[in-house]
Amino acid sequence: MSEECGHNCSSCDKSSCESRDMHVKLREGSKVKKVIGVVSGKGGVGKSLVTSLLACKLSKNGFKTAILDADITGPSIPESFGVGLSRAESDGNSLNPVVTDSGIQLMSMNFLLENENDPVIWRGPVIAGAVKQFWTDVNWKDVDFMFVDMPPGTGDVPLTVFQSLPVDGIIIVSSPQQLVRVIVEKAVKMANMMNIPILGLVENMSYVKCPDCGKPITVFGKSNIEKIAESFNLPVLAKIPMEESTSAAIDAGDVESIQCEYLDKASETIQALLK
């Protein structure tokens, strides 16, 4: 990437960009067929939950999945899978991912820390470099779908992932509140500027089912996801409810046990990429 690059692909000389490969290479022996970014314009909307559920869903459907935890300063993927105390093993030249009970390959900053609660106090470029190394220096074994759990916002890490990894599409996670509209628009516009396909939107914390009658209760008010999706001509891939059983499974590090039928459409959209 040129030092003069303004990181705005929509105004870039397209022929110049296509004349050079800006994607960094996997290490020899690694194989990843499709890369899916999971993004949000702000924190706290459940991006890591959606990442974990999608990886589990596709794994149960018979695909080999992996998660690259790009949220370097706030990783939560290891705890969700109950492997928070695991450490990535090195052969001196590369790292082996931590593998879950169902065979999902994981790489997270927490696997490299002496203590999982040690803070990572790094500046943006160093964090972005670590994310890139998770792609280049890890032995990813025959992965059908890799999900990249990105930190919120449109800063260094999303920029690095979009430029350096061969991202086949992204899923944008939101919540029902009206204020999220502006945040979603930022994520959509960034992806469009960098020519990254958007697979669709997922709304988390969409509703709560009444324990007596099963009627959905919109705790955060009426959903705006359809209007947002329509304005950008994007599909709504899922509306995920708030469920006590889901929270309990995550807290117990047992995300792989969750049955997530509400992600059927999302999984079908992702699986179609292999065709």
Side-chain angles (χ1 to χ4, degrees):
M1 177 65 66
S2 168
E3 293 296 329
E4 291 76 29
C5 178
H7 309 304
N8 185 348
C9 295
S10 64
S11 62
C12 183
D13 178 358
K14 186 176 181 181
S15 62
S16 175
C17 278
E18 289 182 343
S19 67
R20 61 184 185 275
D21 183 3
M22 293 184 289
H23 294 154
V24 293
K25 305 293 186 183
L26 285 168
R27 69 177 294 101
E28 186 176 353
S30 290
K31 184 178 181 181
V32 176
K33 294 179 181 177
K34 298 295 178 182
V35 179
I36 311 298
V38 183
V39 307
S40 66
K42 66 184 295 295
V45 298
K47 174 180 43 57
S48 296
L49 170 65
V50 172
T51 301
S52 300
L53 291 178
L54 284 172
C56 293
K57 181 75 171 178
L58 272 294
S59 177
K60 291 173 182 176
N61 288 352
F63 297 95
K64 293 184 178 179
T65 63
I67 298 177
L68 190 160
D69 189 356
D71 197 348
I72 300 296
T73 60
S76 57
I77 295 297
E79 291 297 324
S80 298
F81 285 89
V83 291
L85 298 179
S86 299
R87 294 294 174 263
E89 297 182 357
S90 171
D91 61 8
N93 297 309
S94 61
L95 292 169
N96 291 319
V98 171
V99 181
T100 72
D101 291 340
S102 65
I104 300 173
Q105 301 171 51
L106 309 177
M107 179 51 63
S108 174
M109 191 65 207
N110 266 17
F111 297 149
L112 304 176
L113 300 176
E114 184 174 349
N115 301 298
E116 63 173 336
N117 56 358
D118 287 343
V120 177
I121 309 174
W122 294 347
R123 296 190 183 276
V126 180
I127 293 174
V131 172
K132 192 182 296 186
Q133 285 184 291
F134 281 178
W135 174 258
T136 60
D137 295 355
V138 174
N139 297 310
W140 299 108
K141 302 176 181 66
D142 296 321
V143 176
D144 293 312
F145 295 104
M146 171 181 284
F147 295 91
V148 182
D149 182 23
M150 285 193 267
T154 55
D156 284 330
V157 171
L159 183 61
T160 296
V161 171
F162 288 168
Q163 289 180 333
S164 303
L165 274 60
V167 179
D168 296 281
I170 66 168
I171 289 175
I172 299 175
V173 183
S174 71
S175 56
Q177 299 96 319
Q178 176 62 29
L179 63 86
V180 174
R181 179 183 180 90
V182 175
I183 307 302
V184 171
E185 288 179 353
K186 289 180 182 291
V188 170
K189 289 180 179 180
M190 179 182 187
N192 288 338
M193 289 170 64
M194 303 194 68
N195 297 319
I196 302 296
I198 303 173
L199 301 180
L201 308 180
V202 169
E203 184 178 76
N204 189 38
M205 299 180 286
S206 187
Y207 58 91
V208 175
K209 284 185 178 180
C210 174
D212 295 323
C213 66
K215 180 180 178 180
I217 302 171
T218 52
V219 178
F220 295 111
K222 186 178 179 180
S223 173
N224 294 283
I225 194 71
E226 282 86 2
K227 291 182 179 179
I228 298 174
E230 183 179 357
S231 65
F232 290 106
N233 194 28
L234 295 170
V236 176
L237 299 178
K239 288 186 174 183
I240 301 177
M242 292 186 289
E243 296 177 323
E244 184 180 357
S245 59
T246 297
S247 298
I250 295 295
D251 290 343
D254 194 22
V255 67
E256 291 167 291
S257 71
I258 298 174
Q259 301 299 319
C260 40
E261 293 80 6
Y262 36 77
L263 284 174
D264 285 348
K265 183 177 179 181
S267 66
E268 290 170 2
T269 299
I270 294 169
Q271 289 171 207
L273 293 175
L274 283 181
K275 301 177 182 178

